[in-house]
Amino acid sequence: MNRTARAFWIGSPGHGEIRDLTLPDPAHDEVVVRSLYSGVSRGTETLVFRGGVPESQHTAMRAPFQEGDFPAPVKYGYLNVGVVEEGPAELTGRTVFSLYPHQTRFVVPASAVTVVPDSVPAARAVLAGTVETAVNALWDAAPLVGDRIAVVGGGMVGCSVAALLARFPGVRVQLVDADPARAGIAEALGVGFARPEDALDGCDLVVHASATEQGLARCLELLSPEGTVIELSWYGDRQVTLPLGEAFHSRRLVIRSSQVGTVSPRRAGRTYADRLALALDLLADPALDALVTGESGFEELPAVMPRLATGEIPALCHRVRYDADPARDHGKSA
């Protein structure tokens, strides 16, 4: 069995490189996975690429299989779909999702991979980590039938939340973003769209994912009295100023944080595995293909990441393609 692999590392802030390595022999409870696709979650990963993780968050921001330390050198990422080449009989040959960085082949505990359902194409399964974040956000938000809801910020996480909210009965869902190009994605997801200045107010719930203080301030303006903002944005080392005077207190508004690192207390009986399995089941919906807005080969990553970081490539999820596999587009075994 081939024990060599290639991995993408951030050698220094703003600079990526491909490194060769030799894999260890797997233990009896481990699997060898050959990557089919990985995904770049543009918001978090480009912040890491730029070296923008605050020192106080170095431990909290570690990815499950990260190597190295912030700001660099570091191997970072968490959206991988591959096929099991070696491992327990029930996993060998299966397409699996794992929270592994961008690498051609790797060894992890068998417990760290989740089988991709046959109903989900491998190319779409790279969205599992982000849809899992959206699931956790909606567990925190607890939307009700008939709610008036805005999702401010049409990035990968915001669009994932909007896509799931589109399935709720009787709700009014509007995706709010300053980029008019997001209107087409909103239409594909089955929700309304508005520029920030045109967004509908009187919202019972607003989900914020723009990672800007202007976006969060607009969220407060869109709420009805007693309304709640669910804050999904992560600002890294940036300070945020909010208008908490004026009518904030008299309208009894709420800002609640949500972060995927902890299963929502509203679903304390669920495990991380339960949440990820649900996210993968939800990915059977082909509308979610709209969240993948670009693709390149693995060897191109050192040139692509700087362009993602500057916004030259305006991606939601940028998909990384590895070696061709005849079954990869069917979410089945290789």
Side-chain angles (χ1 to χ4, degrees), residues 173-224:
V173 184
Q174 191 170 59
L175 181 66
V176 180
D177 197 278
D179 183 358
R182 294 287 190 261
I185 294 173
E187 182 179 6
L189 298 177
V191 300
F193 176 82
R195 299 283 297 273
E197 61 272 20
D198 300 322
L200 298 173
D201 59 11
C203 293
D204 305 289
L205 172 68
V206 179
V207 179
H208 182 233
S210 81
T212 67
E213 64 179 49
Q214 296 90 347
L216 183 51
R218 184 63 176 135
C219 290
L220 295 175
E221 294 173 347
L222 296 178
L223 286 175
S224 62

Side-chain angles (χ1 to χ4, degrees), residues 47 52 54 208 210-213 216 231 233-240:
L47 186 146
H208 182 233
S210 81
T212 67
E213 64 179 49
L216 183 51
E231 175 59 280
S233 299
W234 193 70
Y235 299 90
D237 54 4
R238 289 177 291 136
Q239 297 294 313
V240 175

Side-chain angles (χ1 to χ4, degrees), residues 76-246:
Y76 191 86
Y78 46 84
L79 302 173
N80 186 287
V81 177
V83 61
V84 176
E85 294 187 320
E86 295 182 67
E90 66 272 18
L91 290 175
T92 301
R94 301 299 300 274
T95 298
V96 295
F97 176 85
S98 63
L99 299 171
Y100 205 85
H102 309 285
Q103 185 167 311
T104 58
R105 182 181 278 107
F106 53 90
V107 178
V108 293
S111 60
V113 302
T114 301
V115 174
V116 175
D118 287 349
S119 59
V120 179
R124 190 185 305 148
V126 295
L127 298 168
T130 306
V131 173
E132 183 183 6
T133 299
V135 167
N136 204 60
L138 293 182
W139 282 351
D140 281 331
L144 299 176
V145 173
D147 272 358
R148 295 159 296 182
I149 305 173
V151 179
V152 177
M156 190 175 172
V157 171
C159 284
S160 295
V161 171
L164 299 190
L165 284 170
R167 305 170 180 221
F168 278 67
V171 299
R172 184 194 79 190
V173 184
Q174 191 170 59
L175 181 66
V176 180
D177 197 278
D179 183 358
R182 294 287 190 261
I185 294 173
E187 182 179 6
L189 298 177
V191 300
F193 176 82
R195 299 283 297 273
E197 61 272 20
D198 300 322
L200 298 173
D201 59 11
C203 293
D204 305 289
L205 172 68
V206 179
V207 179
H208 182 233
S210 81
T212 67
E213 64 179 49
Q214 296 90 347
L216 183 51
R218 184 63 176 135
C219 290
L220 295 175
E221 294 173 347
L222 296 178
L223 286 175
S224 62
E226 306 278 350
T228 297
V229 172
I230 298 296
E231 175 59 280
L232 293 180
S233 299
W234 193 70
Y235 299 90
D237 54 4
R238 289 177 291 136
Q239 297 294 313
V240 175
T241 301
L242 279 180
L244 299 184
E246 302 175 348

Side-chain angles (χ1 to χ4, degrees), residues 281-302:
D281 285 340
L282 291 169
L283 279 165
D285 185 352
L288 290 162
D289 283 331
L291 303 186
V292 178
T293 54
E295 183 176 290
S296 60
F298 168 73
E299 298 289 340
E300 300 174 76
L301 264 179

